[in-house]
Amino acid sequence: MTRELTDAAFLADFAELSAIGATAAGGVHREAATAADGHAREWLRAWFVEHGLHPRVDAVGNMYGCVEVAAGAPYVLLGSHLDSQPTSGRFDGAYGVLAGAYAAATVAAEVADRPGAARHNVAAVNWFNEEGSRFSPSLMGSAVYVGKTTADAVLDTVGKDGVSVRDALSRIGFQGDDVAPPANSYAEIHIEQGRTLEDEGLDIGVVTSNWAAYKYVVTVHGEQSHTGATHMRYRRDALVGASQVVLAVRAVADEFGLDTVLGSVGRFTVEPNSPVVVPARVRLAADLRALDGETVEAAHLSFLNKIADITGAGEVTVEIESAALRPSTRYQDSGIALAGTVADDLGLRWRAMPTMAGHDSVNLKELVPTVMLFIPSIDGVSHNEREFSTDAQMLAGLHTLTETARRMVTGALETAHVS
Ligand code: HGY
Ligand code: MN
Ligand code: MN
C-alpha cells in the first residue's frame, strides 16, 4: 500500500526528519555515519518501504529507493544527502533527499498506471558523506558512484574521531552489499545557501556550472616549549604561523576584488593546545573558490607565495599536505533547458546561475546528464542553525523537481539531446 504524496504530507515528513539529530536552536547535528545519521537513514529506509521504493545500500552507505517501471532500463536518480555539518541547518541536503523521494514515488505511481510510458526506472538517493566534516574529503559517496575514487579507499578513511568509515558505517548498520542502480541521469534540488534568489525575488535557480575550488590541508610546524621560560627570540610558535596562514587566505580573497575569490580556514587544530605551552603544530583546513579555473589558479599561486613568505620568515615551517582542485564544469545544456522549461510551465520565476557550494550533482554530472535546482535561502544563511526556507519555497521546488523527474523518466532529456 503506498501512502499519500501530498504537499501537506511532504511538510509533515520534513518536520519529522528534521527532528532527528535536532538541536535546541532549530538546526541539526547529524554528521556522516554517526548515530543521528543512522536514525535519519532508518527513517528514510522505512519511508522508502512504506511508499513502494525498494531500498538498497551499497558498499559505501549510499542508500537508494528503487522502482522498476521500465524493465532492465537504467535509472533516473533523484537525491541529495542526509548528513550535516556540526550544529548546522535542517534544510541542507535533507530537503533534497526528501524531495527526491517524493518525486520518485510520485512519478513511479503515475507511470505504473500507464504501461510503456516510462523510458527509465527511477530511484531516490541519499549519498554518503556529502559534507566531509567527520570524514574528509566531501562528496564521498557520489565520488565512488561515478568512479572518481574506490569503495576501499573510502572505507579505509579515518575520521576526525579516529574511527574509519568502514567501522562507522557498520556500527550504524549501513555498510551494505547491494549493487548500486545504474544511472541514466540525475536531478538534485537544494537550498541556494547564498542570497541571489532572495535578492532578486525568484523562486528557482537552475544551476549551469559549479565554482572551481581548491581545498587545502596545511600543517604549520613549530617547536613545543615553555611559554614563560622561552626567550622570544628562541621560540618557534606554530600558532603564530597558523594565524598568518588564516590571514593569508583572507588577503588572497581581498586581492581579487569584491566576491571574486572566496576563502576561509574552517578547521584549526592546535597541538598540544595546553596553557603554558608554545604550540608545536597546527593543522588546518582551508578553501579558496572562484567562478572560473583561471581565477582560482591565480588565487592558488598567490596563496602558495604567501605560504612561502611565512616559512621564509624563519619561525615556522608551513607544509601543504594536500591541495585538491575541484574544477569548474558545466551542467549539461539539455538539463538546463529542461528545468527552465519546467519552471516556466509551472509559472515560477527562475534564473540560471552557478553554484558556489559543492554538491553531489557536481560529481554526477561527470557521468550522466544532470539537473541541479535551487530554492531560496532566507538571508542566504547556511551551515548554521538559522538556515531557513519557507514552506511555499520548499513546495515550489518540490513541484519543479517532480515535473522535471516526470519528464526525465519519460525520455525528455534524450529528446532534448537530438533536437
Ligand atoms: O561546498 C563544498 O565544498 C562541499 O563539498 N559541500
Ligand atoms: Mn548540501
Ligand atoms: Mn552543506
Side-chain angles (χ1 to χ4, degrees), residues 288-333:
L288 281 169
R289 300 178 194 226
L291 175 59
D292 63 281
E294 211 176 301
T295 308
V296 91
E297 289 299 343
H300 174 62
L301 280 183
S302 172
F303 183 53
L304 294 185
N305 285 333
K306 289 178 168 51
I307 294 285
D309 288 347
I310 297 167
T311 296
E315 181 166 344
V316 298
T317 306
V318 184
E319 178 198 354
I320 299 196
E321 281 184 40
S322 60
L325 173 65
R326 176 191 294 158
S328 169
T329 56
R330 272 188 67 79
Y331 287 76
Q332 288 81 3
D333 289 336

mmCIF file of all heavy atoms in Angstrom, residues 288-333:
data_model
loop_
_atom_site.group_PDB
_atom_site.id
_atom_site.type_symbol
_atom_site.label_atom_id
_atom_site.label_comp_id
_atom_site.label_asym_id
_atom_site.label_seq_id
_atom_site.Cartn_x
_atom_site.Cartn_y
_atom_site.Cartn_z
ATOM 1 N N LEU A 288 39.688 27.869 -1.117
ATOM 2 C CA LEU A 288 39.660 29.077 -1.949
ATOM 3 C C LEU A 288 38.809 28.749 -3.167
ATOM 4 O O LEU A 288 38.991 27.690 -3.788
ATOM 5 C CB LEU A 288 41.064 29.448 -2.419
ATOM 6 C CG LEU A 288 41.980 30.163 -1.432
ATOM 7 C CD1 LEU A 288 43.404 30.209 -1.974
ATOM 8 C CD2 LEU A 288 41.474 31.590 -1.137
ATOM 9 N N ARG A 289 37.864 29.628 -3.494
ATOM 10 C CA ARG A 289 36.948 29.353 -4.611
ATOM 11 C C ARG A 289 36.834 30.543 -5.544
ATOM 12 O O ARG A 289 36.946 31.692 -5.106
ATOM 13 C CB ARG A 289 35.538 29.048 -4.081
ATOM 14 C CG ARG A 289 35.521 27.855 -3.169
ATOM 15 C CD ARG A 289 34.136 27.591 -2.616
ATOM 16 N NE ARG A 289 34.287 26.653 -1.520
ATOM 17 C CZ ARG A 289 33.543 25.574 -1.307
ATOM 18 N NH1 ARG A 289 32.540 25.302 -2.109
ATOM 19 N NH2 ARG A 289 33.778 24.774 -0.302
ATOM 20 N N ALA A 290 36.580 30.259 -6.799
ATOM 21 C CA ALA A 290 36.294 31.300 -7.786
ATOM 22 C C ALA A 290 35.409 30.678 -8.863
ATOM 23 O O ALA A 290 35.378 29.453 -9.010
ATOM 24 C CB ALA A 290 37.579 31.825 -8.419
ATOM 25 N N LEU A 291 34.725 31.528 -9.595
ATOM 26 C CA LEU A 291 33.819 31.010 -10.626
ATOM 27 C C LEU A 291 34.586 30.210 -11.675
ATOM 28 O O LEU A 291 34.181 29.126 -12.064
ATOM 29 C CB LEU A 291 33.073 32.184 -11.280
ATOM 30 C CG LEU A 291 32.166 31.857 -12.457
ATOM 31 C CD1 LEU A 291 31.071 30.866 -12.061
ATOM 32 C CD2 LEU A 291 31.531 33.125 -13.011
ATOM 33 N N ASP A 292 35.719 30.747 -12.124
ATOM 34 C CA ASP A 292 36.413 30.096 -13.239
ATOM 35 C C ASP A 292 37.780 29.562 -12.820
ATOM 36 O O ASP A 292 38.366 30.006 -11.827
ATOM 37 C CB ASP A 292 36.570 31.080 -14.405
ATOM 38 C CG ASP A 292 37.418 32.257 -14.005
ATOM 39 O OD1 ASP A 292 36.888 33.172 -13.331
ATOM 40 O OD2 ASP A 292 38.611 32.267 -14.323
ATOM 41 N N GLY A 293 38.258 28.621 -13.612
ATOM 42 C CA GLY A 293 39.512 27.936 -13.315
ATOM 43 C C GLY A 293 40.712 28.867 -13.304
ATOM 44 O O GLY A 293 41.603 28.741 -12.456
ATOM 45 N N GLU A 294 40.732 29.830 -14.236
ATOM 46 C CA GLU A 294 41.877 30.738 -14.332
ATOM 47 C C GLU A 294 42.033 31.554 -13.041
ATOM 48 O O GLU A 294 43.135 31.703 -12.508
ATOM 49 C CB GLU A 294 41.614 31.687 -15.501
ATOM 50 C CG GLU A 294 42.839 32.159 -16.226
ATOM 51 C CD GLU A 294 42.405 33.020 -17.413
ATOM 52 O OE1 GLU A 294 41.670 32.502 -18.281
ATOM 53 O OE2 GLU A 294 42.785 34.191 -17.424
ATOM 54 N N THR A 295 40.931 32.063 -12.536
ATOM 55 C CA THR A 295 40.988 32.891 -11.323
ATOM 56 C C THR A 295 41.386 32.051 -10.117
ATOM 57 O O THR A 295 42.180 32.487 -9.278
ATOM 58 C CB THR A 295 39.622 33.573 -11.075
ATOM 59 O OG1 THR A 295 39.236 34.233 -12.270
ATOM 60 C CG2 THR A 295 39.705 34.572 -9.945
ATOM 61 N N VAL A 296 40.835 30.845 -10.016
ATOM 62 C CA VAL A 296 41.186 30.038 -8.844
ATOM 63 C C VAL A 296 42.658 29.632 -8.896
ATOM 64 O O VAL A 296 43.318 29.538 -7.854
ATOM 65 C CB VAL A 296 40.226 28.829 -8.667
ATOM 66 C CG1 VAL A 296 40.720 27.579 -9.375
ATOM 67 C CG2 VAL A 296 40.025 28.525 -7.182
ATOM 68 N N GLU A 297 43.201 29.436 -10.107
ATOM 69 C CA GLU A 297 44.637 29.110 -10.212
ATOM 70 C C GLU A 297 45.483 30.309 -9.788
ATOM 71 O O GLU A 297 46.520 30.146 -9.123
ATOM 72 C CB GLU A 297 45.001 28.690 -11.639
ATOM 73 C CG GLU A 297 44.474 27.324 -12.076
ATOM 74 C CD GLU A 297 44.984 26.139 -11.242
ATOM 75 O OE1 GLU A 297 45.987 26.283 -10.514
ATOM 76 O OE2 GLU A 297 44.340 25.072 -11.308
ATOM 77 N N ALA A 298 45.046 31.506 -10.162
ATOM 78 C CA ALA A 298 45.780 32.716 -9.748
ATOM 79 C C ALA A 298 45.725 32.869 -8.233
ATOM 80 O O ALA A 298 46.729 33.226 -7.586
ATOM 81 C CB ALA A 298 45.195 33.943 -10.440
ATOM 82 N N ALA A 299 44.576 32.577 -7.647
ATOM 83 C CA ALA A 299 44.438 32.655 -6.188
ATOM 84 C C ALA A 299 45.332 31.609 -5.512
ATOM 85 O O ALA A 299 45.994 31.888 -4.509
ATOM 86 C CB ALA A 299 42.982 32.443 -5.795
ATOM 87 N N HIS A 300 45.371 30.433 -6.106
ATOM 88 C CA HIS A 300 46.211 29.343 -5.587
ATOM 89 C C HIS A 300 47.684 29.761 -5.580
ATOM 90 O O HIS A 300 48.387 29.594 -4.578
ATOM 91 C CB HIS A 300 45.978 28.108 -6.465
ATOM 92 C CG HIS A 300 46.859 26.942 -6.172
ATOM 93 N ND1 HIS A 300 46.862 26.295 -4.954
ATOM 94 C CD2 HIS A 300 47.764 26.285 -6.944
ATOM 95 C CE1 HIS A 300 47.728 25.296 -4.985
ATOM 96 N NE2 HIS A 300 48.296 25.269 -6.173
ATOM 97 N N LEU A 301 48.132 30.349 -6.692
ATOM 98 C CA LEU A 301 49.539 30.791 -6.768
ATOM 99 C C LEU A 301 49.838 31.867 -5.728
ATOM 100 O O LEU A 301 50.880 31.838 -5.060
ATOM 101 C CB LEU A 301 49.841 31.337 -8.167
ATOM 102 C CG LEU A 301 50.099 30.289 -9.230
ATOM 103 C CD1 LEU A 301 50.457 30.958 -10.557
ATOM 104 C CD2 LEU A 301 51.238 29.346 -8.781
ATOM 105 N N SER A 302 48.922 32.784 -5.574
ATOM 106 C CA SER A 302 49.110 33.842 -4.593
ATOM 107 C C SER A 302 49.205 33.251 -3.180
ATOM 108 O O SER A 302 50.046 33.662 -2.369
ATOM 109 C CB SER A 302 47.954 34.842 -4.684
ATOM 110 O OG SER A 302 48.026 35.761 -3.629
ATOM 111 N N PHE A 303 48.353 32.271 -2.911
ATOM 112 C CA PHE A 303 48.380 31.608 -1.595
ATOM 113 C C PHE A 303 49.720 30.901 -1.382
ATOM 114 O O PHE A 303 50.345 31.027 -0.324
ATOM 115 C CB PHE A 303 47.202 30.626 -1.510
ATOM 116 C CG PHE A 303 47.066 29.935 -0.176
ATOM 117 C CD1 PHE A 303 47.006 30.653 1.017
ATOM 118 C CD2 PHE A 303 46.987 28.538 -0.100
ATOM 119 C CE1 PHE A 303 46.870 30.014 2.246
ATOM 120 C CE2 PHE A 303 46.853 27.894 1.117
ATOM 121 C CZ PHE A 303 46.796 28.627 2.290
ATOM 122 N N LEU A 304 50.185 30.186 -2.420
ATOM 123 C CA LEU A 304 51.480 29.491 -2.301
ATOM 124 C C LEU A 304 52.607 30.490 -2.008
ATOM 125 O O LEU A 304 53.503 30.218 -1.193
ATOM 126 C CB LEU A 304 51.796 28.707 -3.579
ATOM 127 C CG LEU A 304 50.886 27.526 -3.904
ATOM 128 C CD1 LEU A 304 51.418 26.777 -5.135
ATOM 129 C CD2 LEU A 304 50.745 26.565 -2.736
ATOM 130 N N ASN A 305 52.567 31.647 -2.666
ATOM 131 C CA ASN A 305 53.601 32.669 -2.416
ATOM 132 C C ASN A 305 53.558 33.160 -0.980
ATOM 133 O O ASN A 305 54.597 33.338 -0.335
ATOM 134 C CB ASN A 305 53.415 33.853 -3.374
ATOM 135 C CG ASN A 305 53.883 33.505 -4.775
ATOM 136 O OD1 ASN A 305 54.756 32.651 -4.942
ATOM 137 N ND2 ASN A 305 53.293 34.135 -5.776
ATOM 138 N N LYS A 306 52.363 33.367 -0.479
ATOM 139 C CA LYS A 306 52.226 33.864 0.891
ATOM 140 C C LYS A 306 52.697 32.819 1.897
ATOM 141 O O LYS A 306 53.338 33.140 2.910
ATOM 142 C CB LYS A 306 50.775 34.271 1.166
ATOM 143 C CG LYS A 306 50.386 35.548 0.427
ATOM 144 C CD LYS A 306 48.941 35.908 0.667
ATOM 145 C CE LYS A 306 48.613 37.308 0.187
ATOM 146 N NZ LYS A 306 49.006 37.632 -1.182
ATOM 147 N N ILE A 307 52.408 31.558 1.597
ATOM 148 C CA ILE A 307 52.865 30.461 2.467
ATOM 149 C C ILE A 307 54.402 30.430 2.484
ATOM 150 O O ILE A 307 55.031 30.253 3.532
ATOM 151 C CB ILE A 307 52.331 29.109 1.925
ATOM 152 C CG1 ILE A 307 50.823 29.066 2.031
ATOM 153 C CG2 ILE A 307 52.978 27.917 2.615
ATOM 154 C CD1 ILE A 307 50.294 28.847 3.382
ATOM 155 N N ALA A 308 54.988 30.584 1.281
ATOM 156 C CA ALA A 308 56.460 30.565 1.196
ATOM 157 C C ALA A 308 57.041 31.718 2.010
ATOM 158 O O ALA A 308 58.076 31.565 2.680
ATOM 159 C CB ALA A 308 56.899 30.656 -0.268
ATOM 160 N N ASP A 309 56.375 32.871 1.996
ATOM 161 C CA ASP A 309 56.853 34.019 2.774
ATOM 162 C C ASP A 309 56.796 33.735 4.276
ATOM 163 O O ASP A 309 57.680 34.136 5.032
ATOM 164 C CB ASP A 309 56.004 35.270 2.476
ATOM 165 C CG ASP A 309 56.284 35.816 1.077
ATOM 166 O OD1 ASP A 309 57.293 35.385 0.463
ATOM 167 O OD2 ASP A 309 55.484 36.644 0.597
ATOM 168 N N ILE A 310 55.729 33.052 4.696
ATOM 169 C CA ILE A 310 55.592 32.750 6.134
ATOM 170 C C ILE A 310 56.724 31.814 6.565
ATOM 171 O O ILE A 310 57.384 32.024 7.587
ATOM 172 C CB ILE A 310 54.208 32.135 6.446
ATOM 173 C CG1 ILE A 310 53.104 33.160 6.128
ATOM 174 C CG2 ILE A 310 54.114 31.684 7.907
ATOM 175 C CD1 ILE A 310 51.687 32.570 6.096
ATOM 176 N N THR A 311 56.976 30.785 5.740
ATOM 177 C CA THR A 311 58.095 29.883 6.043
ATOM 178 C C THR A 311 59.418 30.640 5.975
ATOM 179 O O THR A 311 60.293 30.472 6.837
ATOM 180 C CB THR A 311 58.107 28.684 5.074
ATOM 181 O OG1 THR A 311 56.913 27.931 5.278
ATOM 182 C CG2 THR A 311 59.311 27.780 5.305
ATOM 183 N N GLY A 312 59.533 31.507 4.960
ATOM 184 C CA GLY A 312 60.773 32.259 4.744
ATOM 185 C C GLY A 312 61.141 33.150 5.920
ATOM 186 O O GLY A 312 62.323 33.433 6.158
ATOM 187 N N ALA A 313 60.145 33.591 6.666
ATOM 188 C CA ALA A 313 60.414 34.463 7.819
ATOM 189 C C ALA A 313 61.178 33.725 8.914
ATOM 190 O O ALA A 313 61.769 34.352 9.797
ATOM 191 C CB ALA A 313 59.113 35.042 8.353
ATOM 192 N N GLY A 314 61.146 32.404 8.885
ATOM 193 C CA GLY A 314 62.072 31.640 9.711
ATOM 194 C C GLY A 314 61.556 31.048 11.005
ATOM 195 O O GLY A 314 62.194 30.162 11.567
ATOM 196 N N GLU A 315 60.416 31.506 11.496
ATOM 197 C CA GLU A 315 59.984 30.973 12.802
ATOM 198 C C GLU A 315 59.328 29.595 12.686
ATOM 199 O O GLU A 315 59.506 28.732 13.544
ATOM 200 C CB GLU A 315 59.020 31.957 13.486
ATOM 201 C CG GLU A 315 58.567 31.449 14.853
ATOM 202 C CD GLU A 315 57.893 32.502 15.723
ATOM 203 O OE1 GLU A 315 58.021 33.702 15.425
ATOM 204 O OE2 GLU A 315 57.241 32.097 16.705
ATOM 205 N N VAL A 316 58.520 29.394 11.626
ATOM 206 C CA VAL A 316 57.784 28.129 11.472
ATOM 207 C C VAL A 316 58.001 27.594 10.060
ATOM 208 O O VAL A 316 58.478 28.306 9.177
ATOM 209 C CB VAL A 316 56.267 28.342 11.690
ATOM 210 C CG1 VAL A 316 55.971 28.837 13.102
ATOM 211 C CG2 VAL A 316 55.685 29.291 10.638
ATOM 212 N N THR A 317 57.595 26.342 9.873
ATOM 213 C CA THR A 317 57.578 25.766 8.524
ATOM 214 C C THR A 317 56.126 25.440 8.185
ATOM 215 O O THR A 317 55.454 24.752 8.959
ATOM 216 C CB THR A 317 58.403 24.460 8.466
ATOM 217 O OG1 THR A 317 59.704 24.760 8.965
ATOM 218 C CG2 THR A 317 58.502 23.919 7.058
ATOM 219 N N VAL A 318 55.664 25.938 7.056
ATOM 220 C CA VAL A 318 54.288 25.657 6.640
ATOM 221 C C VAL A 318 54.319 24.587 5.555
ATOM 222 O O VAL A 318 54.958 24.765 4.518
ATOM 223 C CB VAL A 318 53.591 26.920 6.108
ATOM 224 C CG1 VAL A 318 52.126 26.615 5.787
ATOM 225 C CG2 VAL A 318 53.690 28.068 7.108
ATOM 226 N N GLU A 319 53.649 23.499 5.835
ATOM 227 C CA GLU A 319 53.635 22.374 4.889
ATOM 228 C C GLU A 319 52.225 22.235 4.317
ATOM 229 O O GLU A 319 51.249 22.130 5.080
ATOM 230 C CB GLU A 319 54.018 21.102 5.660
ATOM 231 C CG GLU A 319 54.002 19.841 4.837
ATOM 232 C CD GLU A 319 53.956 18.587 5.717
ATOM 233 O OE1 GLU A 319 54.046 18.708 6.956
ATOM 234 O OE2 GLU A 319 53.803 17.498 5.157
ATOM 235 N N ILE A 320 52.113 22.251 3.000
ATOM 236 C CA ILE A 320 50.809 21.982 2.388
ATOM 237 C C ILE A 320 50.706 20.477 2.196
ATOM 238 O O ILE A 320 51.372 19.907 1.339
ATOM 239 C CB ILE A 320 50.649 22.745 1.065
ATOM 240 C CG1 ILE A 320 50.751 24.247 1.357
ATOM 241 C CG2 ILE A 320 49.331 22.392 0.391
ATOM 242 C CD1 ILE A 320 50.261 25.149 0.285
ATOM 243 N N GLU A 321 49.921 19.844 3.025
ATOM 244 C CA GLU A 321 49.805 18.371 2.951
ATOM 245 C C GLU A 321 49.056 17.948 1.708
ATOM 246 O O GLU A 321 49.378 16.945 1.087
ATOM 247 C CB GLU A 321 49.046 17.845 4.173
ATOM 248 C CG GLU A 321 49.890 17.761 5.418
ATOM 249 C CD GLU A 321 49.099 17.149 6.558
ATOM 250 O OE1 GLU A 321 48.329 16.195 6.333
ATOM 251 O OE2 GLU A 321 49.255 17.656 7.673
ATOM 252 N N SER A 322 48.011 18.696 1.389
ATOM 253 C CA SER A 322 47.282 18.390 0.156
ATOM 254 C C SER A 322 46.600 19.651 -0.358
ATOM 255 O O SER A 322 46.227 20.524 0.429
ATOM 256 C CB SER A 322 46.256 17.271 0.377
ATOM 257 O OG SER A 322 45.329 17.672 1.357
ATOM 258 N N ALA A 323 46.508 19.725 -1.664
ATOM 259 C CA ALA A 323 45.812 20.836 -2.331
ATOM 260 C C ALA A 323 44.984 20.204 -3.438
ATOM 261 O O ALA A 323 45.510 19.798 -4.463
ATOM 262 C CB ALA A 323 46.812 21.827 -2.918
ATOM 263 N N ALA A 324 43.691 20.040 -3.171
ATOM 264 C CA ALA A 324 42.837 19.322 -4.124
ATOM 265 C C ALA A 324 41.987 20.316 -4.902
ATOM 266 O O ALA A 324 41.275 21.121 -4.307
ATOM 267 C CB ALA A 324 41.941 18.340 -3.377
ATOM 268 N N LEU A 325 42.075 20.235 -6.207
ATOM 269 C CA LEU A 325 41.294 21.133 -7.071
ATOM 270 C C LEU A 325 39.989 20.469 -7.481
ATOM 271 O O LEU A 325 39.980 19.348 -7.969
ATOM 272 C CB LEU A 325 42.095 21.473 -8.336
ATOM 273 C CG LEU A 325 41.324 22.261 -9.403
ATOM 274 C CD1 LEU A 325 40.927 23.652 -8.910
ATOM 275 C CD2 LEU A 325 42.130 22.360 -10.693
ATOM 276 N N ARG A 326 38.893 21.172 -7.241
ATOM 277 C CA ARG A 326 37.608 20.779 -7.844
ATOM 278 C C ARG A 326 37.380 21.750 -8.990
ATOM 279 O O ARG A 326 37.112 22.929 -8.771
ATOM 280 C CB ARG A 326 36.488 20.898 -6.814
ATOM 281 C CG ARG A 326 35.101 20.590 -7.382
ATOM 282 C CD ARG A 326 34.007 20.981 -6.405
ATOM 283 N NE ARG A 326 34.025 20.180 -5.220
ATOM 284 C CZ ARG A 326 33.494 20.553 -4.052
ATOM 285 N NH1 ARG A 326 32.933 21.735 -3.917
ATOM 286 N NH2 ARG A 326 33.534 19.763 -3.019
ATOM 287 N N PRO A 327 37.541 21.275 -10.230
ATOM 288 C CA PRO A 327 37.433 22.212 -11.354
ATOM 289 C C PRO A 327 35.996 22.679 -11.563
ATOM 290 O O PRO A 327 35.049 22.039 -11.105
ATOM 291 C CB PRO A 327 37.921 21.394 -12.545
ATOM 292 C CG PRO A 327 37.818 19.979 -12.150
ATOM 293 C CD PRO A 327 37.799 19.895 -10.660
ATOM 294 N N SER A 328 35.864 23.796 -12.254
ATOM 295 C CA SER A 328 34.538 24.274 -12.649
ATOM 296 C C SER A 328 34.141 23.561 -13.934
ATOM 297 O O SER A 328 34.887 23.593 -14.909
ATOM 298 C CB SER A 328 34.591 25.782 -12.905
ATOM 299 O OG SER A 328 33.391 26.203 -13.514
ATOM 300 N N THR A 329 33.000 22.898 -13.909
ATOM 301 C CA THR A 329 32.500 22.301 -15.155
ATOM 302 C C THR A 329 31.014 22.618 -15.290
ATOM 303 O O THR A 329 30.355 22.960 -14.311
ATOM 304 C CB THR A 329 32.718 20.766 -15.205
ATOM 305 O OG1 THR A 329 32.115 20.176 -14.060
ATOM 306 C CG2 THR A 329 34.196 20.418 -15.245
ATOM 307 N N ARG A 330 30.529 22.470 -16.493
ATOM 308 C CA ARG A 330 29.139 22.847 -16.766
ATOM 309 C C ARG A 330 28.180 21.684 -16.570
ATOM 310 O O ARG A 330 28.538 20.519 -16.737
ATOM 311 C CB ARG A 330 29.016 23.347 -18.212
ATOM 312 C CG ARG A 330 29.293 24.827 -18.370
ATOM 313 C CD ARG A 330 28.987 25.335 -19.771
ATOM 314 N NE ARG A 330 27.574 25.320 -20.139
ATOM 315 C CZ ARG A 330 26.685 26.243 -19.753
ATOM 316 N NH1 ARG A 330 27.044 27.242 -18.970
ATOM 317 N NH2 ARG A 330 25.419 26.163 -20.159
ATOM 318 N N TYR A 331 26.979 22.023 -16.190
ATOM 319 C CA TYR A 331 25.871 21.070 -16.246
ATOM 320 C C TYR A 331 25.414 21.000 -17.709
ATOM 321 O O TYR A 331 25.531 21.990 -18.452
ATOM 322 C CB TYR A 331 24.728 21.532 -15.334
ATOM 323 C CG TYR A 331 25.065 21.347 -13.864
ATOM 324 C CD1 TYR A 331 25.934 22.218 -13.205
ATOM 325 C CD2 TYR A 331 24.546 20.275 -13.140
ATOM 326 C CE1 TYR A 331 26.271 22.036 -11.875
ATOM 327 C CE2 TYR A 331 24.875 20.088 -11.805
ATOM 328 C CZ TYR A 331 25.738 20.971 -11.169
ATOM 329 O OH TYR A 331 26.068 20.770 -9.858
ATOM 330 N N GLN A 332 24.892 19.842 -18.090
ATOM 331 C CA GLN A 332 24.535 19.645 -19.491
ATOM 332 C C GLN A 332 23.424 20.611 -19.926
ATOM 333 O O GLN A 332 22.441 20.811 -19.195
ATOM 334 C CB GLN A 332 24.068 18.194 -19.714
ATOM 335 C CG GLN A 332 25.189 17.174 -19.657
ATOM 336 C CD GLN A 332 25.601 16.770 -18.249
ATOM 337 O OE1 GLN A 332 25.010 17.202 -17.266
ATOM 338 N NE2 GLN A 332 26.617 15.926 -18.143
ATOM 339 N N ASP A 333 23.587 21.162 -21.118
ATOM 340 C CA ASP A 333 22.593 22.108 -21.637
ATOM 341 C C ASP A 333 21.199 21.492 -21.705
ATOM 342 O O ASP A 333 20.192 22.181 -21.500
ATOM 343 C CB ASP A 333 22.991 22.584 -23.043
ATOM 344 C CG ASP A 333 24.210 23.511 -22.983
ATOM 345 O OD1 ASP A 333 24.441 24.120 -21.917
ATOM 346 O OD2 ASP A 333 24.925 23.601 -23.990
#
